[in-house]
Amino acid sequence: MRFDKTIELIINEEVEDGQGGREQLEKVIFTLNANIEELSVVETFKIYGVATTDTIKARVLGNIKENIDKIRYNNNFYKIISKRIVKNKTVFLLEVIEDGI
């Protein structure tokens, strides 16, 4: 299994803007090497019971315990459908976030 792709784990952080308000910022907390597997709609439905398009499975080494809001891969943002820890790896099932969301 090759961990030859790069993903960025992103959290949303609220920061005070200095005028009494708050502003949402995206903060990259980790840049990790990952093994990426693209899943077809049929595979996704059989395995997870969810049929979506543009679904990928990302495996990274280590136990990621932080709450991640989204992941960037290949200049696309993905939301996390599920997260599992298998032995010494964390496995994310990801769905692409459309432009308007």
Side-chain angles (χ1 to χ4, degrees):
M1 184 176 302
R2 291 188 175 176
F3 293 86
D4 56 350
K5 309 291 186 204
T6 302
I7 63 172
E8 294 177 339
L9 306 179
I10 300 171
I11 61 170
N12 292 330
E13 186 175 49
E14 283 192 9
V15 178
E16 294 195 22
D17 63 2
Q19 299 175 353
R22 294 185 179 269
E23 187 176 332
Q24 282 272 9
L25 296 177
E26 293 180 349
K27 182 178 177 184
V28 176
I29 59 168
F30 293 116
T31 300
L32 300 171
N33 292 331
N35 173 266
I36 303 294
E37 178 183 342
E38 294 186 16
L39 300 173
S40 69
V41 175
V42 175
E43 284 178 301
T44 306
F45 185 75
K46 284 182 180 177
I47 296 170
Y48 299 99
V50 178
T52 58
T53 58
D54 295 330
T55 304
I56 63 173
K57 186 189 295 186
R59 293 179 191 91
V60 296
L61 291 174
N63 186 348
I64 308 297
K65 294 184 179 181
E66 288 81 5
N67 290 330
I68 308 300
D69 293 315
K70 57 183 149 180
I71 293 178
R72 184 181 334 177
Y73 168 68
N74 270 355
N75 295 325
N76 290 325
F77 288 101
Y78 292 86
K79 66 179 177 180
I80 299 171
I81 296 174
S82 72
K83 174 179 147 181
R84 295 181 307 184
I85 296 170
V86 180
K87 295 185 181 179
N88 65 340
K89 297 179 209 65
T90 303
V91 181
F92 297 101
L93 180 65
L94 307 171
E95 178 184 17
V96 72
I97 298 174
E98 300 298 328
D99 292 335
I101 299 175

